[in-house]
Amino acid sequence: MPDALFEGFQLFLSNIWIVPLGVLIGMFVGGMPGLTSSGTLAMLLPVLLVLKPELGLLLGVSIYAGAEMGNSFPSVMLNIPGTAGGAVTAFDGFPLMKQGKAAWALGICIMASVVGSLIGGLASLGLSPQIAVVALAFGPAEICIVILFGLAVIAQLSAGGLAKGLFAGLFGLLLATTGTDPTFGTQRGTFGVVFLFDKLPVIAVLVGLLGFSEVLVYVEKGLTRLLKPGAEIPSHQIGLAGIFSGMKETFKYPWELLRGGAIGVGIGAMPGAGASVATFVAYQQAVAFAKPERKPLFGKGAPEGLIAADVTNNAVVGGALVPLLTLGIPGSGSMAVLLVVMTYHGMYVGPRLFHFSGEIAYAVLISQFFAAGCILIIGTVLAFFAYRVALFNLKMMVPIITVFCLMGGFARNNFPFDMGVMVVFGCLGFIMKRFQYPVVAMLLGVILGRLFEREFMRAWRIGLDSPDLFFTSAIAQILWALFIFTFVGPPIIRYVRRKLKSRSAAE
Amino acid sequence: MQFLKTTWGILLVPVLALAYGGHALWELTTGPFHNATIIYTYVIAIPMLILGAIAVAGDLRNPAKASEPAEAAASGDDREDVVKGGGRRVALVVLISLALISVLSWVGYLIAFFLFVLAVLWAVELRNWVAGVVIAVIMTAVVHFIFVLVLGQDLPVGILTFMAR
C-alpha cells in the first residue's frame, strides 16, 4: 500500500492542473438550476473517455465536488437549489440572505464544504474497506426506513403542525409515483400526458416549490427590497469581512461538522442514496441534537442547519468514492459515469482495483484534498460577487429570477411542458405556504419518492411478497426504534424536563 | 388574495391531494397492476388522506390562524412596506408565465423572453421603461449566452428560423 500511495501522489502531482478546472466547471454546473453533476458528467463523457484514465477520473471527481459546493450559491441567494442535494441549504441559507447576511452565509457554506471535502477525503482514504462493509449492510428495507425517518423529522419542523407536515410529505411521495412504475413498467398518474410517461420532472417541481413560490410571495407583498427598510447589517457580515466571518463561525460548531461529515460519508457510501438523502438526514440530526432554545431558529437562519447541509453535501463525494473504488458499485449517478470511464480504459473494477491500478485510485482519493483548497479559493471569489444580489431592487429581480426558474424547469428535458410544471408547482407552493403546509416535506417526498418506491418494491420482492424484511434485520429494528423515538421522544423529554423543573421549584 | 382567506381557500390543498389520491386509488382498479404496486399506493394514499382530513378539521376550527402566511407566522416577518393589490400582481405574473410557455415554440426564445421580462416588470408595477428594456435585453442575452452558446441547449427559435442550428 505505501508504494501505491506514493505512486498515486506522484501521479496526482503530474495531473494537478485538472482539479481547479474541474472545480470551476462543477461550481458553474451546481449553480445552474436544472443542471446536475451527473448530467454534466454524462454530457462530458466523450471528453472523459478521450483523456487518460487518471485525468478523466480526476476531472470527474473535481466536477462532482465543485457542483456540491456550487449548488449553495443559488440556494442561498435566490432560494433556487441548483440540485436536489442543495435544497436543504436553502432552508437556512435563504432566510439569512433576507436578513442581509448573505456574505456571512456563503462564508459558512464555503468553509463547511471545505471541511466536508476534507472529511470525505480522509474517510475514503483511510476507511474505505470498513465503510464499504457497513454501507452494504443497508439493504432496501433499511434505506426505506431512513427516508421515512427524514420525512418524519422534517414534518415535525412544520409551522402548521405534524399532521400537515406528514400530509405534505406523503402527498410528495404519491406525486412521485407519476409516470412509469420503476419496477414493473406500468404507467400511473399520467392522465395520458406523454411528457409524464417517464416521471414527474423533479427539477421543475423543485424549482417551482422553492424558487417560483418565493417569487410569488414577494410579488404579492410588492416589496422593493429583500432587506427590511432601515435594517442595519453589521459591517462584519458583508463583503469579504462577512465571508471570512462566516468561515470563522463555522468552526464554532465542531459537532455539526463532524456529525454531518460522518453522515455524508456513510450515506454517500450507500449505493443509490446520494447527497439528497444525506443532507436531509444530517439536517434532521442537527435539529434533533440542537439545544431547545436553538431549535426554533431552524428554518429561519440557523448556522447549524446551513453547516449540516453543506458539510454533508461535500462529504458525500468522498463517501460515494468508497463503493466505486472498493467494490465497483457506483453510489450515485456521477459515480456511475466514472465507472464507465474506468471500464472503458480496461481498469479492474471491484475489490482488487487497488491491487491492479492502485496508483490511479490513490491519485483520485488524494485529489479531494486539493479540491477542498480550490473550493475555498474559487468559492470565496464567487461569493464576493454573489452576495450583492441582496442589495438589488426586488422588482427588477422578479423577472430575472423567474426567467432562471423557467429555464431551470426547461433545461433538464428541453420540454416547454416542464416549464408549465414549474409554474403549477410554484402556485401550489405559494398556496401551501399560505396555509402552513411545509413545501420542504413535499419536496422531500417528490425527490426521494422514486428511490423510496424502488427500494420498497425490492424489499417487498426479496421478502417474497411480504413486509417481513422491514422488521427482521437488527439495523431495521434499530432504525424503527429511532423512527418511533422521533415522535414519542420529544413529548417524553418535555414531560421529564417539566417534572424536574417543577420538582426543583418546589424544593 | 381574498379567496385564500375563505373556507374554500383552506380546502384547496387537501382537495387537490384528495383528487390526486382518489385518482391514484381508482386507477389501480383499471389496469393490470402488480400486487406490490397496489399495496405501495395504498400505504401512501390512505394515511395521506387521513392526515389531510385531520389538517382540514384543525384549520376549519380556527380559519383565521389557518390562512396566516406560514412565513410570517414562523418568523414574525410583518413588514410595513407591503403594497396592496398583491393578488392581482400574483395572478398577472402567473398568467404571463403561462403565456410565455404557450407561445415559446411559436415565437422563439429571443422574442419571447424579451417580451416576458417587459410584461413581468409591468405586472410588478416597475414603470421605469428604460431600465425595463435594458433588463429585458440583458436577460435575453444571458439566456442565449449561458443556455444556448455555453450549454448547447436547444431552445425553440420560432419565427427566427435563421437562428436554427
Side-chain angles (χ1 to χ4, degrees):
Chain A
M1 175 188 154
D3 285 349
L5 184 62
F6 183 66
E7 286 170 19
F9 187 63
Q10 283 183 319
L11 190 65
F12 159 69
L13 284 180
S14 58
N15 298 291
I16 195 168
W17 60 272
I18 199 97
V19 176
L21 180 68
V23 169
L24 187 63
I25 295 172
M27 282 200 179
F28 177 72
V29 166
M32 296 304 297
L35 287 182
T36 61
S37 54
S38 55
T40 307
L41 285 175
M43 280 192 283
L44 288 175
L45 191 58
V47 179
L48 297 177
L49 295 179
V50 170
L51 294 171
K52 287 187 289 180
E54 59 272 21
L55 267 180
L57 289 172
L58 287 175
L59 179 63
V61 172
S62 308
I63 290 175
Y64 189 17
E68 293 302 336
M69 198 282 123
N71 63 30
S72 300
F73 285 103
S75 296
V76 172
M77 304 311 300
L78 306 171
N79 205 22
I80 305 174
T83 61
V88 180
T89 303
F91 296 173
D92 286 291
F94 190 63
L96 282 172
M97 145 87 172
K98 288 196 288 186
Q99 294 162 24
K101 299 176 184 171
W104 192 69
L106 289 176
I108 290 175
C109 291
I110 293 166
M111 191 46 77
S113 297
V114 169
V115 174
S117 294
L118 293 175
I119 291 174
L122 278 174
S124 56
L125 196 59
L127 303 168
S128 282
Q130 291 86 343
I131 292 174
V133 170
V134 175
L136 281 182
F138 272 68
E142 286 80 8
I143 290 176
C144 280
I145 305 168
V146 167
I147 292 171
L148 281 179
F149 194 34
L151 208 64
V153 177
I154 296 296
Q156 285 182 334
L157 291 174
S158 160
L162 184 63
K164 282 186 176 178
L166 289 173
F167 163 78
L170 290 170
F171 192 12
L173 284 178
L174 194 65
L175 284 168
T177 64
T178 303
T180 306
D181 180 335
T183 311
F184 303 106
T186 40
Q187 282 171 2
R188 303 151 305 166
T190 61
F191 300 96
V193 178
V194 70
F195 299 106
L196 294 174
F197 279 7
D198 181 22
K199 61 179 178 179
L200 202 63
V202 174
I203 296 292
V205 173
L206 187 153
V207 173
L209 279 177
L210 281 184
F212 192 57
S213 67
E214 195 67 28
V215 169
L216 295 181
V217 168
Y218 284 100
V219 167
E220 186 193 14
K221 288 179 179 169
L223 302 177
T224 310
R225 290 199 190 281
L226 270 175
L227 304 180
K228 284 185 183 182
E232 285 189 18
I233 311 162
S235 60
H236 71 277
Q237 285 175 342
I238 55 172
L240 273 180
I243 295 168
F244 292 138
S245 166
M247 287 178 178
K248 267 194 263 175
E249 179 77 13
T250 311
F251 294 109
K252 290 182 185 169
Y253 303 94
W255 293 115
E256 276 74 13
L257 287 170
L258 287 174
R259 198 188 307 119
I263 290 170
V265 171
I267 295 184
M270 281 182 215
S276 45
V277 179
T279 47
F280 275 106
V281 172
Y283 189 79
Q284 153 220 321
Q285 289 300 309
V287 177
F289 281 97
K291 290 176 184 165
E293 66 271 18
R294 299 287 302 169
K295 285 191 184 185
L297 297 178
F298 280 83
K300 293 167 210 157
E304 300 97 310
L306 201 54
I307 290 167
D310 272 75
V311 74
T312 309
N313 246 343
N314 276 73
V316 162
V317 179
L321 280 171
V322 174
L324 179 77
L325 299 179
T326 57
L327 302 165
I329 301 170
S332 65
S334 303
M335 292 296 139
V337 177
L338 298 188
L339 187 68
V340 174
V341 176
M342 288 163 69
T343 49
Y344 178 83
H345 287 290
M347 289 171 68
Y348 184 92
V349 175
R352 302 190 75 188
L353 173 76
F354 282 87
H355 179 71
F356 291 112
S357 310
E359 73 286 2
I360 296 180
Y362 278 116
V364 170
L365 292 175
I366 292 165
S367 75
Q368 294 174 86
F369 300 102
F370 186 58
C374 295
I375 287 173
L376 182 66
I377 296 165
I378 299 171
T380 305
V381 173
L382 292 180
F384 179 69
F385 295 103
Y387 88 91
R388 286 152 211 274
V389 171
L391 308 173
F392 288 177
N393 184 334
L394 199 58
K395 287 184 177 175
M396 288 187 184
M397 290 297 292
V398 166
I400 295 172
I401 301 173
T402 309
V403 166
F404 275 102
C405 286
L406 288 163
M407 287 309 301
F410 180 84
R412 189 65 182 264
N413 298 323
N414 285 9
F415 297 149
F417 175 82
D418 291 359
M419 290 179 169
V421 171
M422 191 283 295
V423 173
V424 168
F425 275 88
C427 295
L428 182 62
F430 174 71
I431 297 166
M432 287 177 71
K433 283 177 181 175
R434 171 60 68 104
F435 292 105
Q436 304 183 27
Y437 291 93
V439 290
V440 173
M442 175 181 269
L443 197 61
L444 181 63
V446 174
I447 291 174
L448 301 181
R450 301 292 279 192
L451 174 67
F452 183 71
E453 184 177 7
R454 197 168 54 238
E455 299 301 328
F456 181 93
M457 295 297 180
R458 279 180 62 203
W460 190 266
R461 295 181 81 191
I462 292 168
L464 303 174
D465 281 351
S466 86
D468 292 352
L469 210 64
F470 289 96
F471 306 101
T472 45
S473 81
I475 298 175
Q477 286 163 357
I478 292 168
L479 289 170
W480 277 123
L482 288 171
F483 177 75
I484 293 166
F485 185 76
T486 56
F487 289 101
V488 299
I492 291 173
I493 292 168
R494 274 199 299 272
Y495 176 77
V496 171
R497 274 208 187 110
R498 229 180 7 248
K499 280 278 169 197
L500 288 174
K501 205 178 269 180
S502 60
R503 190 175 294 171
S504 62
E507 284 168 4
Chain B
M1 299 250 94
Q2 286 303 313
F3 169 73
L4 292 181
K5 290 176 183 164
T6 63
T7 307
W8 289 108
I10 290 171
L11 292 174
L12 208 55
V13 177
V15 163
L16 277 173
L18 176 70
Y20 194 84
H23 177 265
L25 294 176
W26 167 80
E27 203 173 33
L28 293 174
T29 63
T30 61
F33 288 102
H34 192 276
N35 197 27
T37 307
I38 295 171
I39 288 168
Y40 178 79
T41 311
Y42 274 107
V43 165
I44 304 295
I46 301 291
M48 181 198 78
L49 294 174
I50 293 169
L51 287 162
I54 294 171
V56 169
D59 280 354
L60 290 177
R61 266 205 305 270
N62 193 353
K65 196 181 166 210
S67 63
E68 188 181 4
E71 192 187 58
S75 64
D77 189 8
D78 47 348
R79 302 219 0 196
E80 289 166 2
D81 50 340
V82 171
V83 182
K84 284 186 177 174
R88 192 181 66 90
R89 286 194 296 271
V90 168
L92 277 173
V93 169
V94 171
L95 286 174
I96 292 166
S97 302
L98 292 175
L100 167 94
I101 296 163
S102 52
V103 301
L104 184 64
S105 303
W106 176 62
V107 180
Y109 70 96
L110 286 178
I111 297 172
F113 277 119
F114 178 81
L115 294 176
F116 173 78
V117 172
L118 285 180
V120 171
L121 286 173
W122 169 76
V124 298
E125 294 157 8
L126 187 91
R127 299 288 189 252
N128 184 342
W129 290 109
V130 177
V133 171
V134 171
I135 294 170
V137 170
I138 290 173
M139 271 321 288
T140 311
V142 165
V143 167
H144 178 72
F145 178 75
I146 294 179
F147 292 97
V148 178
L149 296 184
V150 177
L151 300 174
Q153 297 262 315
D154 281 322
L155 286 169
V157 293
I159 51 176
L160 302 178
T161 47
F162 63 90
M163 293 200 60
R165 288 185 294 174

